[in-house]
């Protein structure tokens, strides 16, 4: 099978979403936690999280803008400058998936999806208590992607919370041992298995 750009554009919206989102392979599955200036918490699943550098320690994610859908994650980060990234485990993957539903901005996804808020070291944004890896970040910059009006949100790591047993001797984080989950496409989830480690 060979698909040209024109053929891809002519396929139905759902089929186009499915193929474009799945051909890049599995991606990290994380929940981003934020809190509005009014104290309303928000939680949303993201698969676009990427490491940008370790000095300073920067992590980014992509979010899309929309006139039809409220982007509470982005709005909360813009108004407070803080957010958390929380690794998803198999035990709560279904709850995490449904944070993608469109809730009113006055409703917390933590409550609706039965996930617990946790506050660590007075950090403004909430962490997911169930998560085995919790990262607190401060907004550094937002880069506009003109081609499709997306935004690359860049945060600097302010704190990391995990169990010592999930760190290897060389400080590599053990994705397999921590039970990290990966996303394929829009709604398929995978476990992670370490098959090799090369020098």
């Amino acid at each position: 099978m060979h698909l040209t750009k024109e053929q891809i554009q002519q396929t139905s919206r759902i089929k186009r979403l499915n193929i474009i989102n799945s051909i890049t392979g599995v991606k990290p599955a994380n929940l981003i936690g934020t809190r509005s200036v009014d104290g309303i918490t928000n939680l949303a699943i993201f698969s676009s999280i990427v490491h940008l550098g370790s000095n300073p320690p920067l992590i980014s994610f992509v979010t899309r803008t929309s006139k039809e859908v409220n982007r509470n994650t982005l709005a909360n980060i813009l108004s407070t400058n803080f957010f958390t990234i929380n690794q998803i485990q198999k035990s709560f993957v279904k709850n995490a998936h449904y944070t993608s539903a469109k809730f009113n901005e006055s409703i917390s996804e933590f409550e609706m999806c039965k996930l617990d808020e946790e506050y660590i070291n007075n950090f403004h944004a909430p962490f997911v208590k169930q998560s085995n890896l919790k990262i607190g970040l401060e907004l550094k910059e937002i880069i506009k992607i003109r081609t499709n009006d997306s935004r690359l949100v860049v945060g600097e790591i302010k704190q990391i919370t995990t169990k010592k047993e999930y760190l290897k001797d060389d400080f590599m984080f053990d994705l397999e041992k921590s039970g990290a989950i990966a996303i394929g496409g829009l709604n398929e989830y995978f476990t992670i298995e370490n098959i090799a480690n090369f020098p």
Side-chain angles (χ1 to χ4, degrees):
M1 176 182 242
H2 176 80
L3 294 171
T4 65
K5 176 186 172 184
E6 290 74 23
Q7 289 170 318
I8 293 168
Q9 286 299 119
Q10 289 166 8
T11 60
S12 69
R13 177 178 172 274
I14 298 300
K15 287 184 176 179
R16 188 170 65 248
L17 280 170
N18 283 338
I19 190 167
I20 299 303
N21 276 281
S22 62
I23 58 174
T24 55
V26 295
K27 301 167 283 284
N30 291 281
L31 289 166
I32 293 184
T34 59
R35 183 164 54 131
S36 73
V37 290
D38 297 325
I40 300 168
T41 57
N42 176 262
L43 193 62
I45 191 166
F46 280 84
S47 64
S48 61
I49 291 170
V50 131
H51 143 269
L52 292 181
S54 58
N55 189 22
L58 301 176
I59 295 180
S60 67
F61 71 95
V62 175
T63 185
R64 286 158 188 79
T65 57
S66 173
K67 291 174 181 165
E68 293 82 36
V69 179
N70 287 332
R71 301 294 185 190
N72 298 324
T73 297
L74 182 58
N76 290 346
I77 292 171
L78 286 170
S79 63
T80 68
N81 286 331
F82 294 99
F83 62 103
T84 68
I85 296 175
N86 306 270
Q87 185 187 83
I88 297 171
Q89 274 74 52
K90 189 175 182 179
S91 60
F92 62 95
V93 67
K94 186 175 181 180
N95 307 63
H97 175 77
Y98 285 110
T99 63
S100 61
K102 305 306 177 207
F103 296 107
N104 184 286
E105 63 185 22
S106 64
I107 297 171
S108 173
E109 288 81 0
F110 278 95
E111 184 179 343
M112 294 302 292
C113 298
K114 299 188 175 17
L115 291 164
D116 299 319
E117 297 175 24
E118 182 178 25
Y119 292 90
I120 302 170
N121 292 339
N122 297 314
F123 197 75
H124 175 82
F127 296 90
V128 177
K129 188 172 186 178
Q130 289 88 342
S131 178
N132 285 338
L133 175 63
K134 305 161 193 176
I135 309 167
L137 303 102
E138 182 178 9
L139 176 66
K140 297 314 286 182
E141 63 179 304
I142 295 180
I143 300 162
K144 182 176 181 180
I145 300 167
R146 293 189 300 272
T147 308
N148 68 351
D149 204 29
S150 293
R151 302 288 188 274
L152 182 71
V153 180
V154 180
E156 183 175 19
I157 296 174
K158 294 298 179 182
Q159 61 183 50
I160 300 170
T161 302
T162 190
K163 291 181 179 176
K164 191 174 181 182
E165 65 194 76
Y166 299 142
L167 288 180
K168 299 178 183 179
D169 290 340
D170 61 0
F171 252 50
M172 282 283 288
F173 186 77
D174 195 326
L175 293 167
E176 182 179 7
K177 193 172 184 181
S178 72
I181 294 291
I183 299 177
L186 293 168
N187 58 0
E188 291 189 318
Y189 295 87
F190 300 84
T191 55
I192 294 174
E193 178 186 0
N194 187 337
I195 62 165
N197 186 349
F198 302 111

